[in-house]
Amino acid sequence: MDFESDRKADMTTDGRIALITGANKGIGYEIARQLGEKGIMVLIGARDADRGSAAASELSRSGIAAQHIPLDLHDEDSILEAARQIDSEFGKLDILVNNAGVTDPDDGVPSVATTGALRRIMETNFIGTHAVTKAMLPLIKRAPAGRIVNMSSSLGSLTLNGDPTSTYYSAQLLGYNASKAALNMLTVQLSEELRGTPATVNSVSPGFVKTDLNGHTGHLSVEEGARLPVEFALQGDDAVSGQFVEAGGQTPW
């Protein structure tokens, strides 16, 4: 595995450890970069070893403590192995950013979306994310103040999906929108489960960011899109939990 010693982590970071899934490119990479610049050891979760290692190396060259960890949301064995490695090397996980997600060209309105597309999207965006969260939860609970950020979307809001005046109303993508609504349910229920502990979990919509996911048609840069997720990953003692937020404030469920 692509881990270095605890000694190096202690020398180059403030002791906090963050895992970001899908962090080899796009907004995930930028979240890792911004967290790393705060002195946090960032673990680059990526299923492609070459891309994950390249991303970690690029961050390391800029003075950030970064390592690649193989992680495939479709492979529960890889998820459990990642949790074992983090446990062995660090004994805890301070921050988990569930960033990895997919769209599908066969997604669309209910009469168009294929069953295969719905399965592929839900397997990654919800089921895979739940598997990662469940595996990492014991490590999050060992941290002094664990933070979980679920990268959601305003498209996951049932309220906005049903409001013809909403700017999001025209984006009728059954699979993707449903997967983010399901992810929001994970946030709500996990927040309740974590009640009374220092750990928090929130759904954060980064906005319409220029990424591969949307063919770079967004109007926000990855730097702009990463700011809010990073802010919630770094919440202090006054942290909130169980929220669904975007740059303008809270998003209706």
Side-chain angles (χ1 to χ4, degrees), residues 128-151:
T129 296
H130 169 260
V132 171
T133 304
K134 183 178 179 181
M136 301 300 163
L137 202 53
L139 298 168
I140 287 285
K141 289 179 177 178
R142 286 187 211 153
R147 301 288 179 254
I148 301 172
V149 175
N150 289 330
M151 294 291 284

Side-chain angles (χ1 to χ4, degrees), residues 195-219:
R195 185 183 295 275
T197 78
T200 65
V201 55
N202 292 283
S203 284
V204 178
S205 173
F208 195 26
V209 181
K210 299 175 185 176
T211 66
D212 289 348
L213 205 66
N214 56 42
H216 297 271
T217 59
H219 57 264

